[in-house]
Amino acid sequence: MKTILITGGAGFIGSHVVRRMVNRYPNFNFVNFDKLTYAGNLETLADVETKSNYTFVKGDICNVEDINDVFSTYKITDVIHLAAESHVDRSISGPMEFVLSNVVGTVNLMNVCKAHWTDLSNHIFYHISTDEVYGSLGQEGLFEETTAYDPRSPYSASKASSDHFVRAYHHTYGLNIRISNCSNNYGSHQFPEKLIPLMIHNAVEGKDLPIYGDGLNVRDWLWVEDHASAIDLIFHEGRNGETYNIGGLNEWTNIDLVKRLATIIDQRLGRAEGETAKQIKFIKDRAGHDRRYAIDASKLEAELNWKPSITFEEGLDKTVDWYLNNQQWVKNVVSGEYQTYYENQYKS
Ligand code: NAD
Ligand code: DAU
């Protein structure tokens, strides 16, 4: 019987992965191991809490004892590792948390795997990573799996470092690994510090819609459920030692995306056309702001037959509707530490 440890399962992407895996694989056990930082929220997983193949354990990947305990108690057979500090702006104001959770935490986790697993080739360690490790693109080109690493923010440097450690454990100790590098996710339950939910929340509240710099930075957006389906495939059918890029072939400048969101919100809230867009405000640029990310996901498509399941238009509509229908969830997650973060990040 497999017992799969999902780290960071109370976060945005992790909760979608947990929900998908617990429901699709009733014969596997899943242990969600999460520190419950400001970004982790169990309310998000209320619908899977009662499933007999699901357990939550509060723990920190920076604490080796916490990880050892969960491996001993649950006889963990495989790991899907999502736990991380994930927000670029926070990495700029406080990089050390990113070094600790993203780099040291990942190495701790693999050391515990080594200590508990007698044959490292019999277990899977799947590391979830980001396209930001590849740096920033000009007008042309896509990130491929072979693109040289060129991380430029403390966040991406920490993820690049953890990717290198995971590959090093594969080559040095024979750990059976997979790594995937994904573009920007969007969908329900994303913490409202990230672009799309922040704009929806601020639009509803009548606050500024703060665009960094000239608004022409480009991101490649992927529906979070499509990221979860790719993770599911790569975990089950991906090859040992391989890296897979995941992306939506769906590039948007930030300003066009925010205008599109403003239009949807006008329609949903019965506002006059163009009303919400008046809240847009250009503010000081993010330090070291990467200009363009875009992913070539053809390896994943060719090898594992993966494709995004919905269009961006459908996904954005669903996302706006989810936030409008779940304003209590938003109020709960922004009620604590986020207030102070927001004041500091957006003070003029
Ligand atoms: P998130 O910030 O929403 O959630 C992170 C989760 O990890 C939270 O539940 C938090 O409590 C937990 N966590 C943080 N530090 C921990 C620690 N020391 N020990 C245990 N748990 C800890 O992040 P997300 O957006 O869901 O991202 C999940 C993973 O996917 C990250 O590794 C991130 O780098 C990667 N990723 C994110 C995106 C994106 O667009 N959000 C895209 C590509 C890759
Ligand atoms: O590319 C994958 C990465 O995408 C993930 O690895 C990260 O975990 C995730 O946070 C995300 O990083 P970004 O920095 O691209 O996402 P964010 O939502 O913070 O910003 C998206 C774009 O919007 C970026 O160009 C900065 C801009 N932005 C963001 C915020 C929060 C604004 O213009 N205004 C804002 O207030």
Side-chain angles (χ1 to χ4, degrees):
M1 165 71 104
K2 275 188 178 297
T3 300
I4 300 160
L5 187 76
I6 301 183
T7 70
F12 165 50
I13 301 170
S15 64
H16 287 271
V17 172
V18 164
R19 188 171 296 103
R20 178 181 178 96
M21 298 299 241
V22 166
N23 287 323
R24 274 174 72 101
Y25 302 102
N27 295 329
F28 293 170
N29 291 319
F30 294 92
V31 178
N32 173 6
F33 181 82
D34 195 297
K35 183 181 172 185
L36 299 182
T37 67
Y38 78 93
N41 182 357
L42 288 180
E43 216 187 311
T44 303
L45 283 167
D47 54 330
V48 288
E49 244 165 30
T50 54
K51 301 274 179 177
S52 58
N53 63 337
Y54 172 77
T55 310
F56 173 75
V57 174
K58 185 167 190 271
D60 186 346
I61 53 172
C62 294
N63 183 329
V64 175
E65 214 173 298
D66 282 1
I67 315 173
N68 261 320
D69 283 352
V70 79
F71 268 67
S72 300
T73 309
Y74 296 97
K75 308 284 176 262
I76 300 300
T77 57
D78 303 271
V79 174
I80 303 178
H81 175 39
L82 295 110
E85 288 294 333
S86 69
H87 194 44
V88 173
D89 292 323
R90 289 184 191 253
S91 82
I92 294 167
S93 50
M96 193 48 83
E97 278 299 309
F98 288 71
V99 176
L100 294 175
S101 286
N102 300 4
V103 186
V104 178
T106 301
V107 175
N108 281 339
L109 203 49
M110 290 190 294
N111 283 343
V112 173
C113 292
K114 267 180 74 216
H116 284 255
W117 294 343
T118 39
D119 181 352
L120 292 181
S121 66
N122 266 341
H123 306 268
I124 296 171
F125 185 92
Y126 179 8
H127 178 58
I128 309 303
S129 192
T130 171
D131 61 357
E132 300 199 10
V133 298
Y134 299 122
S136 182
L137 291 164
Q139 301 268 17
E140 302 292 323
L142 300 173
F143 295 134
E144 294 170 11
E145 284 83 358
T146 50
T147 302
Y149 274 32
D150 182 24
R152 293 147 50 98
S153 72
Y155 164 70
S156 54
S158 71
K159 293 297 290 189
S161 172
S162 60
D163 290 6
H164 288 320
F165 270 105
V166 173
R167 289 194 185 98
Y169 273 58
H170 170 68
H171 289 290
T172 311
Y173 307 113
L175 187 62
N176 179 346
I177 63 137
R178 287 118 182 78
I179 297 178
S180 55
N181 297 86
C182 188
S183 63
N184 287 62
N185 285 216
Y186 72 99
S188 71
H189 300 96
Q190 186 169 30
F191 195 85
E193 67 191 350
K194 305 290 197 301
L195 181 75
I196 290 181
L198 183 141
M199 294 297 164
I200 300 171
H201 177 57
N202 282 16
V204 172
E205 300 261 300
K207 292 187 184 154
D208 289 343
L209 307 182
I211 310 253
Y212 297 156
D214 61 8
L216 297 179
N217 301 69
V218 172
R219 296 293 182 265
D220 169 5
W221 293 94
L222 182 69
W223 174 239
V224 63
E225 304 270 355
D226 286 330
H227 189 185
S229 77
I231 290 173
D232 181 351
L233 264 180
I234 293 166
F235 177 75
H236 287 101
E237 294 173 33
R239 288 183 292 133
N240 181 8
E242 290 293 315
T243 295
Y244 296 89
N245 278 353
I246 312 172
L249 267 189
N250 177 42
E251 295 180 45
W252 284 71
T253 61
N254 294 333
I255 185 63
D256 284 349
L257 171 50
V258 172
K259 283 182 178 163
R260 168 84 206 154
L261 281 171
T263 304
I264 304 173
I265 288 163
D266 283 342
Q267 290 160 358
R268 295 299 195 271
L269 298 187
R271 293 180 181 172
E273 200 183 321
E275 192 60 27
T276 305
K278 289 183 192 154
Q279 293 169 233
I280 290 174
K281 186 175 173 198
F282 289 89
I283 64 166
K284 185 167 170 272
D285 209 354
R286 172 185 280 177
H289 198 173
D290 286 341
R291 196 61 169 172
R292 176 172 166 256
Y293 303 145
I295 278 275
D296 176 353
S298 55
K299 174 176 173 180
L300 181 59
E301 194 180 328
E303 273 192 25
L304 302 182
N305 204 17
W306 175 88
K307 265 198 175 68
S309 68
I310 63 171
T311 65
F312 192 48
E313 286 68 24
E314 286 172 275
L316 263 195
D317 281 355
K318 277 175 187 256
T319 303
V320 172
D321 288 339
W322 187 86
Y323 280 94
L324 295 180
N325 292 329
N326 289 276
Q327 292 194 39
Q328 193 55 47
W329 183 92
V330 179
K331 284 202 173 78
N332 293 348
V333 301
V334 301
S335 62
E337 170 272 356
Y338 183 65
Q339 300 294 340
T340 318
Y341 165 79
Y342 191 87
E343 299 291 318
N344 287 329
Q345 179 65 23
Y346 295 97
K347 65 179 175 243
S348 40

